[in-house]
Amino acid sequence: MSKGRLEAFSDGVIAIIITIMVLELRAPHEPTFGALKPLLPVFLAYLLSFVFLSIYWNNHHHLLQATPHVSGAILWANLHLLFWLSLVPFATSWMGENPHASLPTAVYGAVLLCLAISFTILVKTILSVHGPASLLARAIGRRDTKSYVSLLLYVLAIPLAFVDPRISWLIFATVALIWIVPDRRIESRLRSN
Amino acid sequence: MSKGRLEAFSDGVIAIIITIMVLELRAPHEPTFGALKPLLPVFLAYLLSFVFLSIYWNNHHHLLQATPHVSGAILWANLHLLFWLSLVPFATSWMGENPHASLPTAVYGAVLLCLAISFTILVKTILSVHGPASLLARAIGRRDTKSYVSLLLYVLAIPLAFVDPRISWLIFATVALIWIVPDRRIESRLRSN
Amino acid sequence: MSKGRLEAFSDGVIAIIITIMVLELRAPHEPTFGALKPLLPVFLAYLLSFVFLSIYWNNHHHLLQATPHVSGAILWANLHLLFWLSLVPFATSWMGENPHASLPTAVYGAVLLCLAISFTILVKTILSVHGPASLLARAIGRRDTKSYVSLLLYVLAIPLAFVDPRISWLIFATVALIWIVPDRRIESRLRSN
Amino acid sequence: MSKGRLEAFSDGVIAIIITIMVLELRAPHEPTFGALKPLLPVFLAYLLSFVFLSIYWNNHHHLLQATPHVSGAILWANLHLLFWLSLVPFATSWMGENPHASLPTAVYGAVLLCLAISFTILVKTILSVHGPASLLARAIGRRDTKSYVSLLLYVLAIPLAFVDPRISWLIFATVALIWIVPDRRIESRLRSN
């Protein structure tokens, strides 16, 4: 079974999700600086989600790159990931419009947690099809640490949103940074193989 | 005629349909659990339609996989399928906002019925071009039973919505399960060929 | 220069246009037959535009099929076509909400006219690059008659909308039928080459 | 690493951005010429942004055409460009609805400036990977002049919007013309190599 359509469909869904999020950033009616100010948390929430969706697209790209072919189980694991990705605009919009509220921030964290779990399921599904000796298994190795740290941080961010939502925002930003920075190491691993 | 663009265009349309449906899941203004509660039926209707669109994308993927080339008649049969797919967001949104009402649930069932008919037409059109001895004809064989059971269930769900919409919701969920579970058998058939 | 990205980008834009049009078909608040009735002209306008966009996608598909490679001029002629396509949702929505009014129907006809002109420009641009002896030139031959008849009908539909918009709707439906029906002849021509 | 998915994803995002912008062009309720008049600046702003997005898609197409393979750094530089592209609908809508106001026009100019900077970063990132002797480096050479002139014009347009927004609109239109016209020269350079 070819992986081309799986990649194309996932690209389409992620591209649309990333773009419809920006529809929440509605142009204010008045042409003043004051009218832009209440948009700041909406903009920051959009920026955060843009970075997360970029990371997922990037990781998805690397993951499929190392996958020789796809099965029905992989198709469904991928659709499961896309389902949670599709809830990001909702969570982003609710959190962005209520930046000082605990529940929307906790829900955002819960969506990120489900996303991380569904990505892990996709990785495990692919590994169970291709075996531990595959290029993917080796490339994924080091990533596991990062994945588990991220999962732990999401689990912490959800209750901490009820202490102070700003702590959770900080945790989300930290996770994003963890994933952006060392991407080049995985790449060099892929290159050296 | 190449089938690449047909697949790409269908992927694009299905990806957009699946994603714009989530726009109906509007973030509530108040950051409370109470504000989330009325969204539950909207969310369940979205989940149901997400699963149905995933099944159609999956089946479309398998169908085209087994189709060597496309003709003008196939292009139009495919566009006919896409037309009914494009009505899913409307039906989902109406049913999700009126979960206890009969008519929207019946209309949702009618759209699913038209979808199933248009998919059957697409299959028949492809078979009439490639002949009964093709890989597709053999792969499709067993599917026919599932297709006819689904058609029958949709036909039942429409009048039953006027008895109690919950019966129809249950029927929709049953059809979805029928299609998710045994997809692997078709796959193994494809693999063994 | 490869034509793959031109096709992919055009597919993306047409897929999105065809799908966002359906957003105009907003689910009514009340779950009654009476609430569906005012949606009928909106639905018919959507159906008409869906068919027109399908025809353009189909013709675009055939046109590019017969084009060996693309130049900068072809890229811009294609973007010009996409610009007019992108105005179809606006014209459809305005006409659908005012089915008995003359101006929106005339504007719809004007958008269809500009679409037809921009498609003709794209064909001419491709022909000027590939020469009159190309496969395309031969395949296009017979189409010219249909194109000129369509242009004439659009030109008639615009003033006739001010007499009675229903005449224009009838003309639009006629043009759509002209293009759907004999598509197979062009195909056979392509096949025989 | 293949560049196919990078192109496909970028195409998807640009296609969606270009198309959702047109959603701002809402059909008026009344079917009269008078109802169309206030849409004129919205339409002109849409047209301007359509042209700018077309230019970026075109340049992106040429840039990637000359890029043999992509690295992680290139992926992120591309995502950075897509981020600024995704802000174009917001800026377009705000400017279109307030055509005589200074701030929205200045913000539009600022988004174009950030876009130009992010495209320059993408070019530099690709050059740093492939070296100054590459086909790209030679093809890009002449473009540098145009890029620097554009950057300068954007920097001028931002403060001038506070003098008179029409000056800035004129500058934007000028930059668009600079990029549309001589695209064929780069093409001939690519062809001769």
Side-chain angles (χ1 to χ4, degrees):
Chain A
M1 220 170 286
S2 86
K3 66 179 181 184
R5 265 193 92 176
L6 181 74
E7 290 183 321
F9 185 69
S10 308
D11 279 0
V13 171
I14 300 175
I16 299 157
I17 291 171
I18 227 169
T19 322
I20 62 172
M21 273 198 315
V22 92
L23 290 174
E24 285 302 314
L25 204 66
R26 286 191 204 91
H29 285 293
E30 277 162 53
T32 58
F33 270 110
L36 280 183
K37 226 182 132 188
L39 283 180
L40 189 67
V42 180
F43 178 76
L44 287 179
Y46 169 63
L47 178 60
L48 192 64
S49 292
F50 188 97
V51 171
F52 270 111
L53 285 169
S54 296
I55 291 167
Y56 273 98
W57 178 75
N58 235 320
N59 289 349
H60 195 266
H61 181 100
H62 283 87
L63 184 63
L64 269 291
Q65 194 85 17
T67 306
H69 58 265
V70 298
S71 67
I74 294 175
L75 287 186
W76 281 105
N78 191 63
L79 285 161
H80 179 235
L81 172 68
L82 294 181
F83 177 73
W84 291 107
L85 283 170
S86 81
L87 295 182
V88 170
F90 170 82
T92 306
S93 154
W94 205 30
M95 185 176 73
E97 279 171 33
N98 300 282
H100 307 301
S102 299
L103 186 62
T105 309
V107 166
Y108 187 84
V111 169
L112 288 184
L113 181 62
C114 292
L115 255 181
I117 292 171
S118 66
F119 193 80
T120 305
I121 292 174
L122 178 60
V123 171
K124 302 279 183 217
T125 310
I126 293 178
L127 282 181
S128 78
V129 172
H130 292 97
S134 60
L135 169 60
L136 176 69
R138 276 177 295 159
I140 242 61
R142 190 154 5 103
R143 296 214 141 193
D144 268 359
T145 325
K146 282 206 289 183
S147 299
Y148 291 130
V149 171
S150 307
L151 284 172
L152 186 73
L153 287 171
Y154 293 140
V155 169
L156 285 172
I158 297 170
L160 285 172
F162 294 95
V163 180
D164 191 330
R166 280 170 297 182
I167 306 175
S168 308
W169 283 64
L170 220 76
I171 294 178
F172 301 150
T174 309
V175 177
L177 282 177
I178 291 177
W179 282 97
I180 292 177
V181 179
D183 242 356
R184 297 171 195 204
R185 285 193 301 172
I186 283 99
E187 206 180 310
S188 70
R189 166 72 62 109
L190 272 166
R191 232 189 337 250
S192 69
N193 277 286
Chain B
M1 220 170 286
S2 86
K3 68 181 179 181
R5 266 193 91 175
L6 180 74
E7 290 183 321
F9 185 69
S10 308
D11 279 0
V13 171
I14 300 174
I16 298 158
I17 291 170
I18 228 169
T19 322
I20 62 172
M21 271 197 317
V22 93
L23 289 174
E24 285 303 314
L25 205 66
R26 288 193 203 87
H29 285 293
E30 276 162 53
T32 59
F33 270 111
L36 280 183
K37 225 183 132 187
L39 284 180
L40 189 68
V42 180
F43 178 77
L44 287 178
Y46 169 63
L47 179 59
L48 191 65
S49 293
F50 187 97
V51 172
F52 270 112
L53 286 169
S54 296
I55 291 167
Y56 273 99
W57 178 75
N58 235 319
N59 289 349
H60 194 266
H61 181 100
H62 284 86
L63 184 64
L64 269 290
Q65 196 82 16
T67 306
H69 57 266
V70 298
S71 68
I74 294 175
L75 287 186
W76 279 106
N78 191 63
L79 285 162
H80 179 237
L81 172 68
L82 294 181
F83 177 73
W84 290 108
L85 283 170
S86 82
L87 294 182
V88 170
F90 170 82
T92 306
S93 153
W94 205 30
M95 184 176 74
E97 278 170 35
N98 300 283
H100 307 300
S102 300
L103 185 63
T105 309
V107 166
Y108 187 83
V111 169
L112 289 183
L113 180 62
C114 292
L115 255 180
I117 292 171
S118 67
F119 194 80
T120 305
I121 292 173
L122 178 61
V123 172
K124 302 277 182 219
T125 312
I126 293 178
L127 283 181
S128 78
V129 172
H130 292 96
S134 61
L135 169 61
L136 177 68
R138 276 175 295 158
I140 241 62
R142 188 154 7 103
R143 298 216 139 191
D144 268 359
T145 326
K146 283 207 289 182
S147 299
Y148 290 131
V149 171
S150 307
L151 284 172
L152 186 73
L153 286 171
Y154 293 141
V155 169
L156 285 171
I158 297 170
L160 285 172
F162 293 95
V163 180
D164 190 329
R166 280 169 298 182
I167 305 174
S168 308
W169 282 63
L170 220 76
I171 293 177
F172 301 149
T174 308
V175 177
L177 282 177
I178 290 177
W179 282 98
I180 292 178
V181 179
D183 241 356
R184 296 170 197 207
R185 287 195 299 174
I186 283 100
E187 208 179 309
S188 69
R189 166 71 62 108
L190 271 166
R191 235 191 333 253
S192 68
N193 278 287
Chain C
M1 219 170 287
S2 85
K3 68 180 179 182
R5 266 194 91 175
L6 180 73
E7 289 182 322
F9 185 70
S10 307
D11 279 0
V13 171
I14 300 173
I16 299 158
I17 291 170
I18 227 170
T19 322
I20 62 173
M21 271 197 318
V22 93
L23 289 173
E24 285 303 313
L25 205 67
R26 287 194 202 86
H29 285 293
E30 277 163 52
T32 57
F33 270 110
L36 279 184
K37 222 182 135 190
L39 283 180
L40 189 68
V42 179
F43 178 77
L44 288 179
Y46 169 62
L47 179 60
L48 190 66
S49 292
F50 188 96
V51 171
F52 271 111
L53 285 168
S54 296
I55 290 167
Y56 273 98
W57 178 75
N58 235 319
N59 289 349
H60 194 265
H61 181 100
H62 283 86
L63 183 64
L64 269 290
Q65 196 83 17
T67 307
H69 57 266
V70 299
S71 67
I74 294 174
L75 287 185
W76 279 107
N78 191 63
L79 285 161
H80 179 237
L81 172 67
L82 294 180
F83 177 74
W84 291 107
L85 283 170
S86 81
L87 294 183
V88 170
F90 169 83
T92 306
S93 153
W94 205 30
M95 185 175 73
E97 280 171 32
N98 300 283
H100 307 300
S102 300
L103 185 63
T105 309
V107 165
Y108 188 84
V111 168
L112 288 183
L113 179 63
C114 292
L115 256 180
I117 292 171
S118 65
F119 194 80
T120 305
I121 292 174
L122 178 60
V123 172
K124 303 277 182 217
T125 311
I126 293 178
L127 283 181
S128 78
V129 172
H130 292 97
S134 61
L135 168 62
L136 177 68
R138 276 176 295 158
I140 242 61
R142 189 156 6 102
R143 296 217 139 190
D144 268 359
T145 324
K146 282 206 290 182
S147 300
Y148 290 130
V149 171
S150 308
L151 284 172
L152 186 73
L153 286 171
Y154 293 142
V155 169
L156 286 171
I158 297 171
L160 285 172
F162 293 96
V163 179
D164 191 330
R166 281 171 296 183
I167 306 174
S168 308
W169 282 64
L170 219 79
I171 293 177
F172 300 150
T174 309
V175 176
L177 282 176
I178 291 178
W179 283 97
I180 292 178
V181 179
D183 242 355
R184 295 168 197 208
R185 286 194 299 173
I186 282 100
E187 208 179 311
S188 69
R189 165 70 63 107
L190 271 167
R191 232 189 337 252
S192 68
N193 278 286
Chain D
M1 217 170 288
S2 86
K3 67 179 181 184
R5 265 193 89 177
L6 181 73
E7 290 182 322
F9 185 70
S10 307
D11 279 0
V13 171
I14 300 174
I16 299 158
I17 292 171
I18 228 170
T19 322
I20 62 173
M21 272 197 317
V22 92
L23 290 174
E24 285 303 313
L25 204 67
R26 288 192 203 88
H29 286 292
E30 276 162 54
T32 57
F33 270 111
L36 280 183
K37 223 181 134 190
L39 284 180
L40 188 68
V42 180
F43 178 77
L44 288 179
Y46 169 63
L47 178 60
L48 191 65
S49 292
F50 188 95
V51 171
F52 271 112
L53 286 168
S54 296
I55 291 167
Y56 272 99
W57 178 75
N58 235 318
N59 288 349
H60 194 266
H61 181 100
H62 283 86
L63 184 64
L64 269 290
Q65 195 83 16
T67 306
H69 58 266
V70 298
S71 66
I74 293 174
L75 287 185
W76 280 106
N78 191 63
L79 285 161
H80 180 236
L81 171 68
L82 294 180
F83 177 74
W84 291 108
L85 282 171
S86 81
L87 295 182
V88 170
F90 170 83
T92 306
S93 152
W94 204 30
M95 185 175 74
E97 279 170 33
N98 299 281
H100 306 300
S102 300
L103 186 62
T105 309
V107 166
Y108 187 84
V111 169
L112 289 183
L113 179 63
C114 292
L115 255 179
I117 292 171
S118 66
F119 193 81
T120 305
I121 292 174
L122 178 60
V123 171
K124 301 279 182 215
T125 311
I126 293 177
L127 283 182
S128 78
V129 173
H130 292 97
S134 61
L135 169 61
L136 176 69
R138 276 176 295 158
I140 242 61
R142 191 156 3 105
R143 295 216 143 191
D144 269 358
T145 324
K146 282 206 290 183
S147 299
Y148 290 130
V149 170
S150 307
L151 284 171
L152 186 72
L153 287 170
Y154 294 140
V155 169
L156 285 172
I158 297 170
L160 285 171
F162 294 95
V163 180
D164 190 331
R166 281 170 296 182
I167 305 174
S168 308
W169 282 64
L170 220 77
I171 293 177
F172 301 150
T174 309
V175 176
L177 282 177
I178 290 177
W179 282 98
I180 292 179
V181 179
D183 243 355
R184 297 170 195 206
R185 285 194 301 173
I186 282 100
E187 207 179 311
S188 69
R189 166 70 64 107
L190 272 167
R191 230 186 341 249
S192 69
N193 276 287

